[in-house]
Amino acid sequence: MHAMVLSRPRSPLQWTERADPSPGPGQIRVRIAACGVCRTDLHVVDGELPEPTLPIVPGHEIVGRVDAVGAGVHGLAVGERVGIPWLGHTCGVCSYCIAGRENLCDRPLFTGYTRDGGYATAALADARYAFPLGEAGDDAALAPLLCAGLIGWRSLGMAGDGRRLGLYGFGAAAHIVAQVARWQRRLVYAFTRPGDAATQAFARGLGAVWAGGSDEPPPEPLDAAIIYAPLGELVPVALRAVRKGGRVVCAGIHMSDIPSFPYRLLWQERELRSVANLTRQDGIEFLRVAAEIGIVTQVTRYPLQQANLALSDLRAGRFEGAAVLVASAA
Ligand SMILES: [Zn+2]
Ligand SMILES: [Zn+2]
């Protein structure tokens, strides 16, 4: 197999050849067709997340086919198409796991962060955390659903039922959430980098009733806002944009520091919270909804060997939607 490997933070990934790993008990080996490139991968590469396993193969939006199964694997067969998400393993015995909040597990493993991920031609996974994907849909088009879609879905639930929904940072997650929100008959207000007319047009094309720069106020107060951009300065901006009793949800795993702000922005029962990881139940629900809605992802394909280019294009905002690594460029 081949993989793009991060040996130390803030260095380029290296194209590396390795022996195919053998699945241990409870594991599957997946031959990878496509792997999405997530903002979290940039945080891993930039050394912004604590204690990564190094060297590490990044990538946690994996679509591929099972090509070997270890002892004790039930319900997955060789040849079956599966998705491998960020949540790679949980302990099953800590207080969070027992309470059904496995996204907060005390001893988790995360794909592409603390266990090898999908910037590769093959990967091992714990079979219990893989999602069967069926045969409908293109491999690369499905890949962004595995994190951008899943975290988007979880953050949308945390935002409550409010009709007027603001999305700060209109990238991979927001372009999927906008489609779900519209299906739920909500009104989407899209906030982009100031002056980013192309992304604002992209958001309107996906049904946003308003799109503008994050330096602009919405035309009316929002019921809720979700922040996908990793910029702490957007927290007081979003609090200012929501009505009394409104919610602001921070959906990223890492953010720059939040500047101090006057208490009156939080006053009147506005709420501020973060969303961490996912549960398997989130995945089951979201993949069912995604199929029902017929979500269309916009993907830019990169050959696996060009993972470093995909990451730098993501950092610079050079594409709309999501980047996906594929075995060979389409
Ligand atoms: Zn646990
Ligand atoms: Zn992700």
Side-chain angles (χ1 to χ4, degrees):
M1 62 168 281
H2 286 89
M4 293 295 287
V5 178
L6 178 74
S7 296
R8 56 191 163 77
R10 293 172 296 282
S11 67
L13 309 182
Q14 301 285 345
W15 178 245
T16 306
E17 185 169 2
R18 293 177 169 181
D20 273 345
S22 295
Q27 292 184 329
I28 52 174
R29 187 175 66 212
V30 175
R31 200 56 62 183
I32 298 170
C35 183
V37 177
C38 177
R39 167 77 50 182
T40 296
D41 303 340
L42 272 183
H43 297 312
V44 171
V45 169
D46 289 346
E48 289 170 330
L49 304 184
E51 298 174 17
T53 300
L54 292 174
I56 188 79
V57 179
H60 55 270
E61 297 179 307
I62 302 173
V63 176
R65 288 188 186 273
V66 178
D67 86 334
V69 297
V73 171
H74 302 290
L76 288 175
V78 169
E80 193 164 354
R81 187 165 69 163
V82 293
I84 310 298
W86 168 250
L87 188 71
H89 179 81
T90 53
C91 77
V93 297
C94 73
S95 60
Y96 296 101
C97 282
I98 288 169
R101 303 180 77 187
E102 64 181 359
N103 60 308
L104 300 178
C105 175
D106 284 333
R107 287 174 293 278
L109 288 174
F110 296 116
T111 311
Y113 174 35
T114 56
R115 67 182 299 164
D116 280 338
Y119 287 17
T121 55
L124 294 180
D126 184 323
R128 295 169 302 162
Y129 297 80
F131 299 115
L133 291 180
E135 293 299 324
D138 170 71
D139 293 326
L142 288 173
L145 301 183
L146 271 303
C147 180
L150 273 173
I151 286 290
W153 173 251
R154 189 172 173 84
S155 61
L156 187 57
M158 298 295 180
D161 297 329
R163 186 150 182 265
R164 297 178 197 281
L165 177 72
L167 303 176
Y168 285 83
F170 204 86
H175 100 288
I176 295 170
V177 168
Q179 297 176 57
V180 179
R182 223 181 75 161
W183 175 75
Q184 294 173 332
R185 304 185 178 281
R186 302 193 203 220
L187 303 175
V188 173
Y189 298 75
F191 298 83
T192 71
R193 298 179 206 217
D196 187 350
T199 303
Q200 290 163 19
F202 178 58
R204 283 189 211 99
L206 287 171
V209 294
W210 178 91
S214 58
D215 56 344
E216 298 173 49
E220 46 261 320
L222 305 173
D223 297 314
I226 309 174
I227 303 175
Y228 294 107
L231 303 172
E233 69 209 51
L234 292 177
V235 169
V237 169
L239 281 169
R240 199 170 268 125
V242 300
R243 61 163 170 77
K244 290 182 278 187
R247 288 190 194 174
V248 173
V249 178
C250 302
I253 193 170
H254 175 83
M255 243 188 188
S256 54
D257 287 354
I258 301 170
S260 75
F261 55 86
Y263 174 62
R264 65 180 161 74
L265 296 185
L266 191 61
W267 168 239
Q268 288 177 318
E269 303 196 345
R270 290 179 181 85
E271 293 176 62
L272 174 64
R273 68 171 302 165
S274 64
V275 169
N277 313 316
L278 67 139
T279 66
R280 283 172 283 181
Q281 190 57 32
D282 292 328
I284 291 163
E285 285 173 17
F286 172 67
L287 291 170
R288 188 170 58 220
V289 166
E292 186 180 338
I293 300 174
I295 285 177
V296 178
T297 55
Q298 173 144 330
V299 299
T300 300
R301 292 167 170 79
Y302 294 81
L304 174 58
Q305 295 94 320
Q306 290 184 14
N308 291 306
L309 177 64
L311 287 166
S312 63
D313 285 355
L314 172 60
R315 191 189 301 282
R318 289 197 193 99
F319 53 79
E320 305 300 342
V324 177
L325 305 179
V326 293
S328 58

